[in-house]
């Protein structure tokens, strides 16, 4: 990156975003989640993803954070980063492909690199706690 | 915070920095995995100028080193290098060091950055009047050129015959026009050289040499490497790090580096405590661990056997070469290589096997490789 050049992160429209850099895609009665392009770029090369167990109950991330809000972890060689749940609910499905190809988090964070599908327990109310693409773009500017 | 004389050159090479042992150090340039594989398959260039160096000279220098280190310095011929430890009175490791014999009564001792001040005080406290100790850490640049292509790359910068420098030996040679102390040593398990710009008034030649080496080696796959790859390569090689495998409460016997302890030489600090420890039996021993289940072991994690805690991980990482989690740690001495244990990772026990180091196949990687 040249000095002075601004790093551009992909932030697709139509998704909801958490301050912890997870995204939510509403698919009928369920919600697919993953981590954002910004999150993967800060992590560096992901070499292992700790996935939640199907059936796990999770709470929407809020301060102070707790174990019940964790979906799992993304690990690079040098660091472990918790993945927080952007919604409360039950884990219905996890992305098994990440067990053999954790690098999908880096290469395709919004599609092939999804983390899990949740059955949300309070979807309408909790979406209000998340940001849309425009608000998230503004938010990460404050972090740079 | 201390800054490397080569900091600007690292920025130009795209380095990301972290604080380490009071220094602002490159952690990576491209990616840790890529840099790691460059070292294993081609070559990597590390700036490890944060390391401490002492010149120890004078008629009493040999005797002094025999007293404060555990290995037998009298076996070192001129040009020889030796891995050793400095112990406290309890036989615990104050630091692990490399001693170079540059002349009959002239030695250079290389230590860990975090221990420079501690050792300086320790040396001065134990130094007789016929020994001079000079801390040259700030005026010395150390570049480590590591990997199977290291010799070929360095050959293009020196008129010296590098084949004459054997493993664990060093010599004064000209590198890109500057007299350097160059030794065939390193911290990656690979063949390679450590190039010392010793106690220089002007460190500009070192900056130039860094750049010249990188461009000379580019075609051969040489990459600049940061502390990230330094850690992953040394763990794969099974080499100890002070603060992790070695501490003031761990003896070299427990760390399984007893080859650095020569009981038959004259008296040395920590000898009685070590003999006592040997007699009473070791409390713990260092082992290598390779994951059988998914997961990456990390420093501080618990080692379990059938659910019961038996030890602790001291270093762990994802091995870019083996593509799995590997670690070193301490377990009771009745546990042996080949046995299965568990490591508690993210709150769950995962199976791991106790293995010997290095973690890689010695016929294919490392300085003992064939062909």
């Amino acid at each position: 990156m040249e000095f002075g050049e601004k790093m551009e992160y992909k932030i697709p429209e139509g998704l909801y975003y958490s301050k912890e850099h997870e995204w939510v895609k509403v698919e009928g009665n369920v919600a697919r989640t993953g981590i954002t392009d910004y999150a993967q770029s800060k992590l560096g090369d992901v070499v292992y993803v700790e996935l939640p167990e199907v059936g796990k109950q999770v709470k929407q991330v809020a301060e102070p954070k707790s174990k019940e809000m964790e979906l799992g972890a993304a690990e690079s060689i040098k660091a472990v980063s918790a993945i927080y749940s952007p919604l409360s609910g039950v884990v219905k499905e996890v992305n098994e492909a990440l067990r053999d190809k954790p690098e999908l988090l880096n290469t395709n964070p919004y599609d092939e690199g999804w983390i899990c599908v949740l059955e949300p327990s309070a979807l309408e109310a909790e979406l209000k706690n998340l940001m849309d693409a425009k608000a998230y773009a503004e938010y990460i500017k404050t972090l740079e | 915070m201390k800054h490397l004389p080569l900091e600007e050159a690292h920025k130009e090479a795209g380095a990301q920095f972290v604080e380490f042992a009071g220094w602002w150090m490159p952690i990576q340039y491209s990616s840790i995995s890529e840099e790691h594989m460059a070292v294993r398959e081609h070559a990597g260039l590390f700036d490890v100028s944060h390391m401490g160096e002492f010149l120890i000279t004078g008629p009493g220098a040999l005797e002094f080193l025999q007293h404060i280190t555990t290995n037998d310095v009298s076996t070192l011929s001129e040009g020889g290098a030796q891995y050793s430890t400095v112990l406290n009175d309890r036989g615990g490791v104050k630091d692990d060091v490399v001693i170079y014999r540059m002349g009959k009564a002239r030695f250079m001792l290389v230590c860990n950055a975090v221990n420079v001040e501690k050792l300086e005080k320790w040396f001065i406290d134990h130094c007789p009047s016929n020994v001079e100790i000079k801390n040259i850490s700030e005026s010395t640049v150390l570049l480590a050129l590591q990997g199977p292509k290291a010799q070929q790359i360095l050959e293009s910068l020196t008129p010296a015959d590098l084949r004459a420098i054997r493993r664990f030996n060093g010599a004064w040679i000209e590198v890109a026009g500057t007299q350097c102390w160059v030794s065939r040593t390193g911290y990656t398990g690979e063949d390679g050289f450590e190039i010392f710009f010793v106690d220089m008034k002007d460190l500009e030649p070192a900056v130039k040499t860094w750049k010249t080496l990188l461009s000379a080696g580019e075609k051969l796959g040489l990459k600049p490497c940061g502390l990230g790859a330094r850690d992953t390569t040394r763990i794969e090689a099974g080499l100890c790090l002070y603060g992790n495998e070695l501490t003031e409460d761990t003896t070299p016997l427990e760390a399984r580096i007893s080859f650095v302890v020569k009981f038959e030489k004259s008296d040395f600090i920590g000898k009685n405590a070590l003999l006592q420890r040997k007699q009473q039996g070791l409390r713990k021993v260092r082992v290598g661990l390779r994951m059988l289940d998914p997961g990456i072991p990390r420093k501080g994690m618990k080692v379990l056997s059938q659910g019961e805690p038996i030890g602790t991980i001291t270093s762990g990482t994802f091995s870019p070469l083996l593509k799995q989690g590997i670690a070193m740690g301490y377990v009771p001495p009745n546990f042996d290589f080949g046995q299965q244990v568990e490591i508690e990772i993210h709150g769950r026990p995962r199976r791991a096997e106790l293995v010997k180091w290095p973690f890689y196949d010695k016929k294919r990687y490392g300085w003992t490789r064939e062909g």
Side-chain angles (χ1 to χ4, degrees), chain A residues 48 50 75-78, chain B residues 28 31 298 346 348 350:
Chain A
Y48 176 72
E50 174 79 7
E75 301 195 32
S76 67
I77 287 177
K78 61 177 189 281
Chain B
Q28 67 177 69
S31 92
R298 308 274 183 185
H346 297 305
R348 276 194 291 148
R350 326 259 174 135

Side-chain angles (χ1 to χ4, degrees), chain A residues 68-127:
Chain A
E68 303 166 291
M69 300 168 191
E70 286 182 19
L71 283 177
E75 301 195 32
S76 67
I77 287 177
K78 61 177 189 281
V80 185
S81 301
I83 302 170
Y84 291 99
S85 188
L87 293 171
S88 303
V90 177
V91 177
K92 298 302 283 182
E93 193 187 341
V94 299
N95 186 358
E96 295 290 339
L98 293 176
R99 296 194 199 277
D100 290 328
K101 290 179 142 187
E103 65 274 15
L104 289 173
L105 246 59
N106 294 118
T107 55
N108 300 68
Y110 294 111
D111 39 65
E112 281 183 82
W114 61 280
I115 305 283
C116 67
V117 173
L118 292 167
E119 186 176 86
S121 54
L123 182 64
E124 289 305 317
E126 287 187 346
L127 283 179

Side-chain angles (χ1 to χ4, degrees), chain B residues 12-70:
Chain B
E12 278 172 33
Q16 292 172 33
F17 290 81
V18 289
E19 192 192 340
F20 178 78
W23 287 81
W24 191 235
M25 297 291 294
I27 175 101
Q28 67 177 69
Y29 299 81
S30 47
S31 92
I32 294 173
S33 293
E34 269 179 50
E35 293 164 26
H36 180 103
M37 291 312 294
V39 173
R40 291 274 175 256
E41 289 174 345
H42 315 288
L45 184 62
F46 301 81
D47 178 1
V48 284
S49 303
H50 63 306
M51 300 293 284
E53 293 89 7
F54 292 92
L55 281 179
I56 297 167
T57 54
L62 174 63
E63 207 182 327
F64 167 70
L65 285 169
Q66 288 287 61
H67 182 57
I68 58 150
T69 67
T70 55

Side-chain angles (χ1 to χ4, degrees), chain A residues 6-69:
Chain A
K6 259 233 170 290
M7 188 76 166
E8 293 287 336
Y9 303 103
K10 283 185 205 135
I11 307 171
E13 294 286 339
L15 305 186
Y16 297 86
Y17 297 89
S18 72
K19 282 188 170 173
E20 286 69 27
H21 312 289
E22 287 86 22
W23 55 261
V24 171
K25 188 179 175 193
V26 179
E27 299 177 349
N29 294 330
V30 297
R32 194 173 296 269
T33 68
I35 67 166
T36 65
D37 188 34
Y38 175 87
Q40 72 78 19
S41 82
K42 293 293 161 196
L43 269 168
D45 295 346
V46 176
V47 292
Y48 176 72
V49 183
E50 174 79 7
L51 293 167
E53 279 171 35
V54 172
K56 184 184 179 176
Q57 291 246 5
V58 285
K59 278 192 181 168
Q60 184 179 42
V61 61
E63 296 296 339
K65 296 188 185 85
S66 70
K67 280 271 166 204
E68 303 166 291
M69 300 168 191

